[in-house]
Amino acid sequence: MTPDLFPEQFAGLTRLPGFAAGTTPELWAAVQNIAGSAPFRQMVTPWGKPMSVGMTNCGAAGWVTDLTGYRYTATDPETGRAWPAMPEIFVHLAQEAAAQGRFKNFTPDACLINRYAPGARMSLHQDRNEQDFTAPIVSVSPGLSAIFLWGGPARTDKASRIILESGDVLVWGGPARLYFHGILPLKDGEHPLTGRARINLTFRKAL
Ligand code: MD6
Ligand code: FE
């Protein structure tokens, strides 16, 4: 992949517009394969509210939420089986993107896969259930575009809006690792690859 795809950086966030655009069909096929053994489900928050986003995972660890809290698990609580292995193309993409964001030697062990139907949203949150905050997070979003909210270290910090389109990649770490962020309710639409859905893959080093 070429190093000059207009990277933009601010406060620990690197945007790589279109970085994965050529790979989205393979990513989508892999997501469907994973969802065949670990189906998307609407997990419940610790406050008892079902999330609007459907979630599944691949890799050694998967992020889950239920009434007891947020955590990483080695097995899928729905099936009792290990999460599906992380496909090689996922690992490769995450490593290449991390290097573009100046994070060398990033090896993800967890990939959270989010599926947004029209109207689904992700309220402002921090990603803080991982062991190692020195590792970045790499995020890739095939399918319908969405508006990403990029806040600051406090929940009340004013958030800016970033449009994320299919194949765009974010690399995020360093001083911004614990910044608040979210996704506005997904606008309805039809995407040639994913239909009425946006997929988001976030690669982390959780263990
Ligand atoms: C999403 N993403 O894009 C939600 N978190 O659907 C996240 O919550 C996220 O994209 C940490 C790093 C990158 C992300
Ligand atoms: Fe997040």
Side-chain angles (χ1 to χ4, degrees):
M1 295 183 192
T2 50
D4 54 357
L5 289 167
F6 323 108
E8 296 175 38
Q9 294 192 280
F10 43 98
L13 175 69
T14 300
R15 296 176 54 204
L16 301 168
F19 190 77
T23 325
T24 52
E26 286 88 347
L27 296 177
W28 173 238
V31 166
Q32 288 172 291
N33 187 35
I34 290 162
S37 37
F40 285 104
R41 79 293 306 262
Q42 284 175 268
M43 297 185 194
V44 173
T45 67
W47 303 275
K49 203 172 161 279
M51 298 186 74
S52 59
V53 175
M55 294 181 169
T56 187
N57 291 278
C58 65
W63 186 87
V64 299
T65 173
D66 61 17
L67 292 177
T68 69
Y70 303 141
R71 67 198 173 280
Y72 281 92
T73 62
T75 54
D76 179 348
E78 297 272 309
T79 65
R81 294 191 303 260
W83 296 105
M86 201 181 305
E88 190 48 50
I89 53 158
F90 283 22
V91 178
H92 185 74
L93 173 64
Q95 288 178 330
E96 296 269 307
Q100 292 286 306
R102 305 204 209 307
F103 291 94
K104 305 294 174 212
N105 308 313
F106 174 58
T107 304
D109 55 20
C111 175
L112 171 63
I113 306 174
N114 294 324
R115 185 181 64 192
Y116 294 73
R121 61 192 286 270
M122 180 86 71
S123 53
L124 282 178
H125 67 278
Q126 295 171 294
D127 288 25
R128 54 182 312 150
N129 302 116
E130 299 74 25
Q131 301 281 346
D132 179 2
F133 294 144
T134 66
I137 295 180
V138 173
S139 152
V140 188
S141 305
L144 290 176
S145 59
I147 297 173
F148 187 78
L149 296 172
W150 167 242
R155 188 181 294 278
T156 49
D157 290 336
K158 189 174 161 18
S160 35
R161 296 176 172 209
I162 295 173
I163 296 174
L164 287 183
E165 287 174 346
S166 191
D168 289 356
V169 177
L170 297 178
V171 180
W172 168 323
R177 182 61 182 73
L178 293 173
Y179 275 25
F180 281 85
H181 57 279
I183 293 281
L184 288 184
L186 194 80
K187 203 166 133 308
D188 201 357
E190 181 75 29
H191 190 273
L193 192 60
T194 61
R196 291 178 74 201
R198 169 180 185 261
I199 301 294
N200 172 257
L201 312 173
T202 53
F203 297 97
R204 301 109 185 271
K205 190 157 163 29
L207 303 178

